Amino acid sequence: MVNEINVAKHYEKLDLYEVIKKGLLESGLILDSLSSQDLSMVDEFHIGGTSGTKFVTEKLGSTETSKILDIGCGIGGPARFLAENSNCSVTGIDLTASYIETGNKLTKLMGLEDKVQLVSASALEIPFGKNTFDSSYMIHVGMNISEKSKLMSEAFRVTKPGGNFVIYDVMKLEDILVDYPLPWADRREESAVDLISVYETELLNSGFQIIEKDVKTDFAIKFFENMIENIKKSGPLPLGLHLLMGENTHEKISNVFRQIKGKKLSPVVIVAKK
């Protein structure tokens, strides 16, 4: 079973805000007039970047009065994108202290602190009451959580009746061992990547109704092909996911891309309704 302390250690980065701020300045961006597009190279830590975020946000049915929960929010990219584009209120939770601290500072730079709030918390013990949020979502989070049953039950508990819970995770397409390191884990012991059927079973057991499932293999292949081509042309940019993934970023990207092409893994969108 994956230990939450080890998960937090995997993602923890010292001076993360200062590192990102330096990358922003080197990219020629003005700190007090940032948009979600300006930050997307570093704060959309999932396959597809902003396009991947749109897969999720388009399924939430949010309005200006909606309260949305982002489970495993990272440094808050999708939460800020959603608030900026839908004008709704988004609360994010994440285990990693430096992510929450950095995310709240970036949110303030964008002037979205009245719409986006990031809080240190576990997805297995969400610190909010029953039926608090109109809808909820998680993006590339379940691969670090072994207790899928508890995860789905907590999402069900805090989501209002009629609300959607949208998942965008990397999942196994067959029951095989996966090669590491990967973006979410350096070693097998840190990973809880699982079969699509496991997600479906635990969602149904928690009380959700599954209304949509979309396997995004072709999308992911094109995304990685474009990423690799851009790196070949331009080299590493001042702002990018290497700031979050560290020195073995290339190996992590290569491993996940190879296993997606080999139809072992794929990003998958599942939409469930309470």
Side-chain angles (χ1 to χ4, degrees):
M1 184 173 294
V2 177
N3 183 290
E4 286 190 335
I5 294 173
N6 292 336
V7 171
K9 284 181 179 178
H10 172 77
Y11 291 106
E12 195 67 60
K13 297 288 184 295
L14 295 175
D15 301 318
L16 180 58
Y17 175 71
E18 294 302 322
V19 170
I20 292 175
K21 185 168 78 170
K22 180 182 177 184
L24 290 167
L25 293 171
E26 289 178 358
S27 299
L29 295 167
I30 300 170
L31 295 184
D32 60 0
S33 61
L34 294 174
S35 68
S36 58
Q37 184 177 354
D38 293 330
L39 286 167
S40 63
M41 289 294 290
V42 70
D43 70 1
E44 299 277 11
F45 191 8
H46 49 268
I47 295 170
T50 302
S51 295
T53 297
K54 289 178 180 178
F55 293 153
V56 174
T57 57
E58 289 170 356
K59 302 297 182 181
L60 291 171
S62 57
T63 66
E64 290 188 5
T65 60
S66 297
K67 291 176 63 179
I68 308 295
L69 177 65
D70 181 334
I71 300 172
C73 61
I75 62 173
R80 287 187 291 271
F81 174 88
L82 180 58
E84 188 178 47
N85 288 277
S86 298
N87 204 31
C88 61
S89 296
V90 188
T91 300
I93 62 168
D94 201 278
L95 284 174
T96 307
S98 64
Y99 278 21
I100 295 298
E101 179 184 0
T102 298
N104 281 323
K105 287 180 178 179
L106 293 174
T107 298
K108 190 171 183 179
L109 281 181
M110 287 182 61
L112 287 172
E113 62 267 37
D114 61 331
K115 289 290 185 181
V116 178
Q117 218 176 25
L118 310 183
V119 180
S120 294
S122 167
L124 301 179
E125 294 182 25
I126 298 175
F128 301 103
K130 184 178 179 182
N131 302 331
T132 299
F133 298 96
D134 295 289
S135 291
S136 55
Y137 68 91
M138 66 180 196
I139 300 178
H140 287 29
V141 172
M143 303 98 73
N144 284 124
I145 300 177
S146 303
E147 298 172 76
K148 298 289 193 299
S149 175
K150 179 65 172 172
L151 170 62
M152 304 309 175
S153 294
E154 278 293 273
F156 185 85
R157 180 181 65 81
V158 299
T159 303
K160 291 180 181 179
N164 285 350
F165 174 40
V166 186
I167 298 170
Y168 179 44
D169 269 2
V170 179
M171 303 181 195
K172 289 183 180 181
L173 299 183
E174 53 182 300
D175 193 9
I176 43 86
L177 290 177
V178 176
D179 297 329
Y180 294 87
L182 292 166
W184 63 89
D186 285 309
R187 297 177 296 277
R188 183 167 289 110
E189 295 75 21
E190 299 169 349
S191 177
V193 63
D194 222 327
L195 293 164
I196 299 172
S197 59
V198 171
Y199 280 80
E200 292 175 317
T201 297
E202 298 304 343
L203 280 167
L204 294 172
N205 286 344
S206 69
F208 282 111
Q209 175 189 1
I210 297 171
I211 59 175
E212 189 175 330
K213 178 178 69 176
D214 191 2
V215 180
K216 296 288 187 179
T217 303
D218 292 341
F219 166 81
I221 291 171
K222 289 179 182 177
F223 170 74
F224 282 116
E225 286 175 344
N226 289 336
M227 175 191 286
I228 292 166
E229 185 63 27
N230 289 336
I231 290 172
K232 285 179 180 177
K233 288 180 180 178
S234 308
L237 298 173
L239 206 62
L241 294 180
H242 60 282
L243 300 182
L244 301 180
M245 284 193 278
E247 294 179 357
N248 62 346
T249 296
H250 178 75
E251 187 179 6
K252 289 174 178 176
I253 294 297
S254 296
N255 279 343
V256 72
F257 181 34
R258 174 173 49 80
Q259 291 176 92
I260 288 172
K261 283 197 298 184
K263 304 294 177 70
K264 294 180 178 180
L265 299 173
S266 181
V268 180
V269 177
I270 299 177
V271 183
K273 183 176 289 292
K274 180 171 178 177

